[in-house]
Structure formats: structure tokens, C-alpha cells
Amino acid sequence: MTSQSATSSGGTTGPELSRPGLSWSGTVDYGPGPLHVPTSVEQLRALVGRSGRIRALGTRHSFSEVAASDADLVTLAMMPSDLEFDTAARTVRVAAGVRYGELAVAAAAQGLALANTGSLPHISVGGASATGTHGSGDGNRSLASAVRAVELVTAGGDLLTLSREGDPEIFDGVVLSLGMLGVVTHLTLDLVPAFTMRQRVYRDLPAGEVSGPGLSEVLAGAYSVSLFHHWDGTMAQIWAKQAVAVGSTDGPSGGSPSGVGASAHTGASDLPTDASSPFPEIWHGARLATGAVHPLPGMPGDFCTDQSGEPGPSHERLPHFRLEFTPSSGEEIQSEYFVPREQIAEALAAVMPLGERIRPLLHASEVRTVAADDLWLSPAHQRDSACVHFTWKQLPHEVEALLPEIEERLAPFTPRPHWGKVYTLAPETVREQYPRLADFQALRDRLDPRRVFRNDYVDRLLGE
């Protein structure tokens, strides 16, 4: 086993701030505070133990009020990173406040890699796991699915460790818990052997492919695929990320890395899966882009990961954006709905008639896929999913007025909203989508009977 220790980067210093501030997009006010900034687990335990109510605040990338509170908040941004790799077991124990981009670089130095990442490497491991953040790919589950152990400070200030092997009856309710069970200090994640990837972007997938079986084939056509569009019937961009064979039976070769519970890719694919074959110039009617592009109109492609098709480390290809750059201006709002994977074409077609009303409010929309998992509050719970995503302009009133109509058109597809993004679905409608919700409520009663970790968001969802 090898170890590394460092201090996580963060934008706050000092023992306590008077106000937590705003979200990355500037659209969420996290509350009056105070915001506490402990630098050790011992300080955190003492803080939580004396708090009547407290919520943990991550990297502020959520667009919903999942982390906001009218009571105390705490950030783990100044806690030690505590990166501890077990190269034989292919795991890492990491502090919850560490960003995925930092973790991925450290893992690569150990000959290891994350099997999946989100589009942003800037988000923290703890926050992303707690809210169901995901990447894309038919064989790739949510980021929380890689978690095999969780250490959290409970309402009394006690430190509790729960694991997949040691606590199988409740662990799937612990990993993705919206911060309702305690303040997570560390997570242990499954890793895979380091592997290489390459990425290209295609432009202008024709309308006939979007409305027919070609859409499913495109989404299944690489290790990770993301589609960007503007509700005009076509897909403006296809981001295709291929895993390159590395000469090891344990590594990926066009499908998912082994050892992390991910299923193999199943749909048809005519994209090559080895470094000797070039990307085709035309794929399902879409053409290769001639230069680097950004998903949002008017933004420079320099902010994005390499799109040349040259193989490189997976952590430099799997995210859409580079860690060293701010991915956009932040002047945006995001919404996202998980629908059954096999119904994505029908779901898009249902919303398409609203295109003329959507486009004036929209930067871009994205379609991604997520493999099913067993996490109780996961939007992909026991359902292979496709995600209908919107990156809106910062027009909150107009977006809020339009969302109910979008949600009504998605209703036949039983949409599950992303917890960290904006939606207007009624709480009872959301609750109906989670068959293990009663089990989670019982777990919450057990771990937080005094409701120390509640806020308005979870009160609306679950009740006090």
C-alpha cells in the first residue's frame, strides 16, 4: 500500500465565515451561515456533536438547493486529502473534499484509474457521490457505484464506518444519501488498471438518426458518448470517447474496465476500439469536427479535453473539461431527467414540439446514458437510463415557468430528476419513483433521529 497526503484546494480559509456565499453559477444562496471550515476529523466531530442542525457543502456545483440551509454549514475543503492507495486491491481511501481531477492524477501515478468520471473534474468525491452525479456510457454506472466504504460523522459526533462487504443490508442506502445521514469524511473507491482513451467529436447527426434506431446505436458506439443539441431535430455534436486496448486482460478494450461491476457494452458499434484504426470520417451521417469545440456556443474549445483522436491517459479524455480551466462563465442553470434507456428517442420526440420555446432560454442540451445500479436513491436505480439534460441561460423565472410543461411531456417515461439540478416535479411524484424509499427513511430514523442534517430541500422530499 502507498500513501499520499496533501491539503485539498478550496476557496475558503480561517476557522469560520459569516456567510457560505453563492453557488458556482451564482443562482443558489446557500444561506446565512455560519460556514465552518474544520481542518481535521477531530474538529469536525466536535462541531457536529454540538450542532442542532448542520449541512455539508461541497464544491458548490449543484443548481438545486440540496445543500442550502438556514442553519450552520460546514465545508471540508481545508481537510487533508488523505490519499491512500492499495495497489494490490485497486482501491483508494480519499477525503470527501478531494476533487475528482486531483484524485485521477494521483491514481495515474500509481498505475490506476477511475473507471468513470463526470464531465467536470472540478467536483468533489463526497458531493458527487451524495447527489448521484454521473458520466456517460451504456456500461458506466453513476460515480457513487464505485464507493466500497464510507466514513461519516453522525449526529452525536461519532465516527461511523460502513462498507459494501460489512454492511450489505444498508450500504446501498448510505452511499447516495443527499447528506441526510451525516457528514462524510472519507470514501474508499474501487479503481481499475490505468488505461488510455481517445476522443473525437462529430458534427450534425441527421434528424433521421435522432428519431430512429440510429440514436441508440450512436449512444452505444463507444466507451462514453455524449450528444449535444438545441431541440431542432438534429444533434449538433457527438462526443465519442474510446477505450484503447492496453494489452492486459484486466484493462478495457472498447468496453468497460473489469472489476467495478460495470456491464459490458451491448449495442452495435462501427467505431474502432484500437489505436491502429482511425475514426471514420462519417459516422451515422455525422462528420468529424475539424477542430476543438466546446459544448456551449461561443465558448473556446481550449477549455475542453483533447479531441484530436490521439490516445492519452483516461483522466485526460473522460471528462469534457480540463481541470486547469473554468469550464464556462457559470451564468447558467441546469436541469436533467433520467428516463429508461430504451425510450430515449421517444422521450426526445415528446419534448421536441417545445423546441421553439426552449431554444431562446437554452445554451445547449445533452443526452447521456447511465447503467443501472442498486443504490436506493440513485436516479438510475435498477434501470438502465438515458439523461435528458438542459443547460439553461440564467433566466430563472422563465426556466421555472417552462419546466412543468417539459416534465408533463416526459411524464409517460417516469422521469427521475437529478438531485443537484433544478426541477419542479411534485415531491410525491418523485417519491413514487424510488421503491426503496421506505427503507431509506428507516435508515435515516436510525442514524439521525433528531434531524440534525435536514434542510428545506430534504424536508420537501421526505417530510420532517
Side-chain angles (χ1 to χ4, degrees):
M1 179 181 291
T2 57
S3 299
Q4 294 180 357
S5 293
T7 299
S8 295
S9 60
T12 58
T13 58
E16 187 176 288
L17 300 181
S18 59
R19 288 186 61 86
L22 303 177
S23 63
W24 168 72
S25 63
T27 57
V28 178
D29 186 337
Y30 286 107
L35 175 68
H36 301 272
V37 191
T39 58
S40 69
V41 172
E42 291 72 23
Q43 289 180 12
L44 176 63
R45 291 181 64 184
L47 169 65
V48 174
R50 66 175 182 265
S51 296
R53 276 204 299 130
I54 193 166
R55 290 283 288 178
L57 184 61
T59 52
R60 298 177 172 84
H61 280 86
S62 288
F63 295 85
S64 72
E65 295 182 344
V66 64
S69 178
D70 59 359
D72 288 25
L73 290 107
V74 60
T75 174
L76 307 187
M78 299 305 293
M79 299 273 279
S81 297
D82 290 337
L83 290 169
E84 299 174 6
F85 290 94
D86 187 330
T87 53
R90 297 176 188 160
T91 63
V92 61
R93 178 180 177 267
V94 59
V98 172
R99 298 187 297 172
Y100 272 98
E102 298 164 343
L103 171 58
V105 171
Q110 302 292 330
L112 297 168
L114 295 158
N116 192 19
T117 67
S119 59
L120 288 174
H122 310 74
I123 56 179
S124 68
V125 176
S129 297
T131 54
T133 298
H134 60 91
S136 187
D138 277 5
N140 295 323
R141 298 178 179 180
S142 68
L143 305 188
S145 295
V147 178
R148 64 182 306 119
V150 171
E151 300 165 46
L152 70 161
V153 176
T154 58
D158 298 318
L159 187 62
L160 178 65
T161 300
L162 298 164
S163 69
R164 188 189 301 156
E165 291 78 12
D167 305 278
E169 71 284 355
I170 63 169
F171 190 69
D172 285 340
V174 171
V175 179
L176 199 170
S177 63
L178 308 183
M180 285 188 270
L181 304 181
V183 178
V184 173
T185 66
H186 295 81
L187 305 95
T188 300
L189 308 180
D190 288 315
L191 300 174
V192 297
F195 62 102
T196 57
M197 301 196 78
R198 55 187 185 167
Q199 176 175 239
R200 291 302 305 264
V201 175
Y202 287 83
R203 288 188 175 274
D204 303 324
L205 183 71
E209 296 292 321
V210 175
S211 59
L215 180 66
S216 182
E217 294 178 7
V218 167
L219 287 168
Y223 184 91
S224 174
V225 176
S226 294
L227 311 179
F228 293 92
H229 67 115
H230 301 92
W231 298 99
D232 60 0
T234 66
M235 291 287 165
Q237 299 176 16
I238 307 170
W239 290 50
K241 304 168 189 279
Q242 296 176 339
V244 178
V246 293
S248 168
T249 57
D250 293 318
S253 180
S256 299
S258 62
V260 294
S263 59
H265 289 295
T266 55
S269 170
D270 53 359
L271 285 182
T273 58
D274 64 86
S276 63
S277 300
F279 283 83
E281 182 68 29
I282 299 175
W283 185 46
H284 286 271
R287 289 184 174 272
L288 280 174
T290 56
V293 300
H294 192 287
L296 303 188
M299 296 297 294
D302 293 347
F303 293 3
C304 301
T305 48
D306 183 275
Q307 302 163 23
S308 68
E310 290 298 317
S314 59
H315 67 270
E316 295 179 2
R317 302 294 188 273
L318 261 178
H320 293 339
F321 303 104
R322 296 165 61 184
L323 181 63
E324 62 267 32
F325 286 102
T326 300
S328 74
S329 64
E331 295 181 354
E332 61 190 58
I333 301 168
Q334 292 185 13
S335 303
E336 187 172 53
Y337 304 91
F338 288 58
V339 301
R341 167 67 174 84
E342 68 275 10
Q343 294 182 310
I344 181 58
E346 293 89 342
L348 294 176
V351 178
M352 204 69 71
L354 296 176
E356 289 188 5
R357 297 176 57 195
I358 291 173
R359 283 192 290 277
L361 309 181
L362 190 72
H363 285 302
S365 272
E366 184 177 8
V367 177
R368 292 185 283 178
T369 58
V370 184
D373 61 48
D374 293 318
L375 305 177
W376 295 354
L377 294 188
S378 170
H381 178 75
Q382 296 185 342
R383 188 172 81 178
D384 289 337
S385 300
C387 300
V388 182
H389 173 95
F390 302 82
T391 297
W392 303 104
K393 298 174 183 177
Q394 205 171 85
L395 300 168
H397 299 298
E398 293 88 340
V399 169
E400 186 176 1
L402 183 56
L403 283 179
E405 295 188 53
I406 293 173
E407 291 165 355
E408 181 179 3
R409 289 178 176 268
L410 289 175
F413 310 100
T414 55
R416 295 171 178 167
H418 189 303
W419 300 119
K421 301 184 181 181
V422 175
Y423 60 93
T424 62
L425 289 168
E428 57 271 20
T429 300
V430 176
R431 288 195 291 265
E432 290 171 356
Q433 299 302 316
Y434 292 91
R436 299 299 301 272
L437 184 60
D439 295 320
F440 180 81
Q441 290 171 317
L443 179 60
R444 185 192 188 201
D445 289 341
R446 170 180 157 188
L447 293 183
D448 185 22
R450 296 190 291 116
R451 302 295 188 258
V452 171
F453 304 109
R454 58 171 282 264
N455 67 354
D456 288 345
Y457 182 98
V458 299
D459 284 350
R460 289 193 300 271
L461 178 65
L462 295 181
E464 297 185 22

